[in-house]
Structures are given as structure tokens and as C-alpha cells.
């Protein structure tokens, strides 16, 4: 299958998954109390800052699409997995609201981030409400499967918080190793993608072995996703990503390409360490210089190669899961979309 065909197929999968999931998301947000309901609705792009309805974009819906695709790959109908997909998307958006605040990012999906519009306190409350709504959806919409589903989501949340905590701690450390950075990414990003794929399998009533294989598929895919996201955060186009390019460098974040560059033992890596160690904020020229040094030190090449390796490992997990052929192809096309973005 050629790359354009894969891209088209994946785009259709995302579109269908969003159409299936959005009504459940809207119902969950509508159940929220004031004053967090309009904040959450703004975050999803359904209203402006004054509460007036708009047709905004709430993201690609990748995690929800993985839930539905995993369920279908195991022979289930999409309706069996819609609540699980909505729950995962609610958790993801809870993390996005909080991450933007913690990182000081003022732009999200091409417009002001939630905290920049409503203030920190209301943004925190709205994020908390989205997390509670995710658990409510699983408990009330999937009562038969809710114990297993809630356990899966809770385990992912604990990993996610640990990964996010490590990410914040790395900002003030000069000695971050590549292995621990990969573990951080495994919690911060990969844990929720792993849970998404596992929840699709749970929704389909799969046995523990196949749930585990889908979970591992999602985990490897999540690591590849984070690697590509880190690359986009340095060299991507903000008009396409909807996020400010260079923000991670300005915060001196130890993203994966940065740590690979710093730990490579090259002269460029040493100059990057000196630049990251300077007091005071990094201006535009320093950010550009840092990006050039990361590339010169091999961080960009390593991250792209590692993303490809993690993608291959993800696809290897599908081989033993006894999937419906069309479902396996759908999951592979989503993997291509996630890991072969323009970087």
C-alpha cells in the first residue's frame, strides 16, 4: 500500500471515529456543572470565550480512533467501544488542559489555550471535571465491563502522572539519561495510548493475552508518537501543529532529541549543554542555535530512527493477536499516520 493511500485510509478512520465519539463527549460535557461547563466546551472548540456556539476543532481524536479500531480488529461493532473511546478522549483532554498551564503554552489548536482565556484556577477545575467525567462514562455506560476498564484507565493515569512529574523534574536537572527519558515518555504519552488500545480489546471482550498484545502495540506506538511530537516541537510548522514551535527549548525541556544530543559525547552536545545551562530566558536566536546544535549532535537523527524502531515493534505486536485482517490494516494505517508526520 502506498503512503498516500495509507494517509487517506487513516484520515477516514479518524473522521468516522470522531463522528461516533463526539456525541458522547458533548453529553459528558453538558453534564458538568457551572462554572466549568463553558470552560470545557471552549477547550473542545464548541463555543467561544463568551459561550457563543462555534464549530471549532477538538483535535484529531487519535486515541478514540485507536479504541474503536482495536475493538473492530477483534470483531466487535464500533458501538461497543464508543463509550471507552469517549472516556480516553476525556482523559487526554484533561491532560492537555493541565499541560498547557504547567508549560505556560498560550496556544492550543490555533487559538488561545484554556488557561490563557479563563485563568489558571478555572482551567484546573475544568481539567479535573473532564477526568471525573471520563470515569463516569465508563461506570454508567459500560457497567458490565467497567471494573476492567476502570482498572486499565487508572493504571494508565498513575503512569501518566509519574511521567509528567518526571518531565517537570528534568527541567531543573542537567544529568538526565536517555533511558530514564524514554521511561518518562512511556508514562507521559505511551501509557494512555496503551490504555486506549487495551480498552478497545476490553470492549470487544477479548481475553487477557490479546488485551496485553494490544496494550503493547499502543505502548510502542505511544513512544513513537512522543518521539515524533518532540521532533515537531523543535522543527515543525506551528501553522500545522497548532502549537508554538520552540516552546520546549525555551523551557529547557529535556525532550528526547535534546537528551540524545546531550548524551552523545559530541562537541555540539557540549555546546548545547552550555547553552541550556545559561542563566536567564532563551531568546529567538538562542532557540534557533539550540535547534541547530541538537541536529548537529545527532539528536534529530536518533529520534527519527528510534521512532521508526518503536513503530516496527508496535506492528510486531499485532501479528499474534489474531485480528480481523481489515482491523489489523486499520491499526497499521493509524500507526503510519501517527509516526510519519512531516518532521
Amino acid at each position: 500500500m502506498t503512503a498516500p493511500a495509507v494517509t487517506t485510509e487513516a484520515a477516514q478512520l479518524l473522521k468516522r471515529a470522531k463522528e461516533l465519539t463526539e456525541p458522547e463527549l458533548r453529553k459528558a460535557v453538558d453534564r458538568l456543572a457551572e462554572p466549568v461547563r463553558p470552560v470545557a466546551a471552549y477547550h473542545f472548540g464548541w463555543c467561544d470565550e463568551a459561550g457563543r456556539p462555534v464549530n471549532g476543532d477538538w483535535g484529531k481524536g487519535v486515541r478514540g480512533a485507536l479504541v474503536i479500531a482495536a475493538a473492530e480488529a477483534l470483531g466487535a461493532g464500533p458501538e461497543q467501544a464508543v463509550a471507552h473511546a469517549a472516556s480516553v478522549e476525556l482523559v487526554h483532554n484533561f491532560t492537555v488542559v493541565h499541560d498547557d498551564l504547567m508549560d505556560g503554552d498560550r496556544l492550543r489548536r490555533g487559538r488561545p489555550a484554556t488557561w490563557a482565556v479563563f485563568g489558571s484556577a478555572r482551567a484546573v477545575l475544568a481539567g479535573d471535571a473532564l477526568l471525573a467525567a471520563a470515569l463516569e462514562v465508563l461506570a454508567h455506560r459500560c457497567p458490565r465491563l467497567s471494573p476492567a476498564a476502570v482498572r486499565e484507565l487508572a493504571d494508565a493515569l498513575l503512569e501518566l502522572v509519574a511521567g509528567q512529574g518526571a518531565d517537570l523534574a528534568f527541567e531543573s536537572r542537567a544529568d538526565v539519561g536517555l533511558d530514564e527519558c524514554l521511561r518518562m515518555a512511556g508514562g507521559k504519552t505511551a501509557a494512555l495510548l496503551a490504555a486506549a488500545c487495551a480498552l478497545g480489546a476490553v470492549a470487544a471482550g477479548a481475553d487477557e493475552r490479546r488485551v496485553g498484545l494490544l496494550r503493547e502495540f499502543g505502548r510502542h506506538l505511544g513512544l513513537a508518537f512522543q518521539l515524533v511530537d518532540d521532533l515537531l516541537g523543535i522543527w515543525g510548522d506551528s501553522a500545522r501543529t497548532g502549537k508554538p514551535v520552540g516552546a520546549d527549548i525555551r523551557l529547557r525541556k529535556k525532550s528526547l532529541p535534546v537528551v540524545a544530543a546531550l548524551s552523545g559525547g559530541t562537541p555540539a552536545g557540549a555546546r548545547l549543554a552550555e547553552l541550556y545551562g545559561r542563566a536567564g530566558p532563551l531568546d529567538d536566536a538562542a532557540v534557533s542555535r539550540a535547534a541547530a546544535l541538537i541536529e548537529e549532535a545527532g539528536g534529530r537523527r536518533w529520534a527519527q530512527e528510534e521512532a521508526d524502531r518503536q513503530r516496527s515493534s508496535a506492528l510486531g505486536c499485532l501479528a499474534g493477536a489474531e485480528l480481523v485482517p481489515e482491523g489489523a490494516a486499520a491499526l497499521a494505517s493509524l500507526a503510519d499516520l501517527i509516526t510519519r508526520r512531516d518532521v
Side-chain angles (χ1 to χ4, degrees):
M1 185 178 289
T2 64
V6 168
T7 300
T8 300
E9 180 184 353
Q12 291 172 345
L13 287 168
L14 290 177
K15 181 176 183 293
R16 182 174 69 100
K18 285 187 71 172
E19 289 172 349
L20 289 167
T21 306
E22 183 165 329
E24 195 73 44
L25 292 174
R26 286 185 177 269
K27 286 189 289 187
V29 170
D30 285 345
R31 288 194 294 270
L32 299 179
E34 295 285 353
V36 296
R37 187 191 310 116
V39 181
Y42 171 86
H43 170 74
F44 276 100
W46 298 330
C47 69
D48 64 15
E49 61 273 16
R52 295 181 292 260
V54 295
N55 292 318
D57 183 17
W58 53 270
K60 293 182 177 66
V62 167
R63 292 154 188 82
L66 284 170
V67 175
I68 291 172
E72 291 185 307
L74 289 162
E79 69 283 351
Q80 291 176 239
V82 167
H84 299 77
S87 180
V88 169
E89 286 294 337
L90 287 164
V91 169
H92 170 60
N93 280 279
F94 141 71
T95 68
V96 168
V97 170
H98 285 194
D99 283 355
D100 284 346
L101 173 58
M102 287 187 289
D103 293 343
D105 288 343
R106 305 188 68 89
L107 187 67
R108 170 64 61 178
R109 297 166 186 157
R111 66 176 188 163
T114 302
W115 74 269
V117 174
F118 297 97
S120 301
R122 290 183 72 185
V124 169
L125 285 173
D128 292 346
L130 292 176
L131 175 56
L135 297 174
E136 182 199 35
V137 167
L138 284 182
H140 291 281
R141 291 278 282 107
C142 317
R144 183 176 63 85
L145 298 173
S146 63
V150 169
R151 281 196 302 272
E152 192 72 47
L153 198 59
D155 288 346
L157 281 164
L158 290 172
E159 284 191 67
L160 190 156
V161 171
Q164 184 65 54
D167 190 32
L168 290 172
F170 289 174
E171 293 179 28
S172 58
R173 284 179 49 191
D175 60 342
V176 177
L178 198 49
D179 286 344
E180 63 179 327
C181 196
L182 281 166
R183 286 195 299 272
M184 175 274 291
K188 178 184 175 183
T189 302
L192 190 56
L193 269 75
C197 297
L199 282 169
V202 169
D207 58 41
E208 290 186 12
R209 184 185 67 84
R210 293 202 286 177
V211 170
L213 285 168
L214 268 295
R215 185 187 298 114
E216 286 307 301
F217 165 76
R219 190 172 301 279
H220 287 296
L221 190 59
L223 283 168
F225 181 94
Q226 184 61 59
L227 285 153
V228 174
D229 205 55
D230 286 350
L231 288 164
L232 288 170
I234 299 172
W235 294 285
D237 180 358
S238 61
R240 296 181 63 181
T241 64
K243 296 184 288 187
V245 172
D248 286 356
I249 292 178
R250 289 184 195 280
L251 291 169
R252 294 177 171 83
K253 277 189 171 292
K254 304 301 192 301
S255 67
L256 286 158
V258 171
V259 174
L262 290 171
S263 60
T266 65
R271 294 196 296 273
L272 177 65
E274 180 185 358
L275 181 58
Y276 256 51
R278 290 179 187 174
L282 299 177
D283 59 19
D284 290 345
V287 169
S288 296
R289 177 64 175 154
L293 289 169
I294 294 164
E295 182 159 14
E296 184 181 344
R300 184 174 189 172
R301 183 182 65 255
W302 175 87
Q304 188 61 68
E305 290 175 353
E306 182 64 15
D308 292 342
R309 191 184 75 80
Q310 292 291 344
R311 174 186 172 277
S312 295
S313 295
L315 295 178
C317 293
L318 300 181
E322 302 170 21
L323 304 178
V324 175
E326 296 83 359
L331 287 170
S333 70
L334 288 172
D336 275 346
L337 180 75
I338 289 171
T339 59
R340 294 184 173 173
R341 293 174 284 172
D342 184 11
V343 292

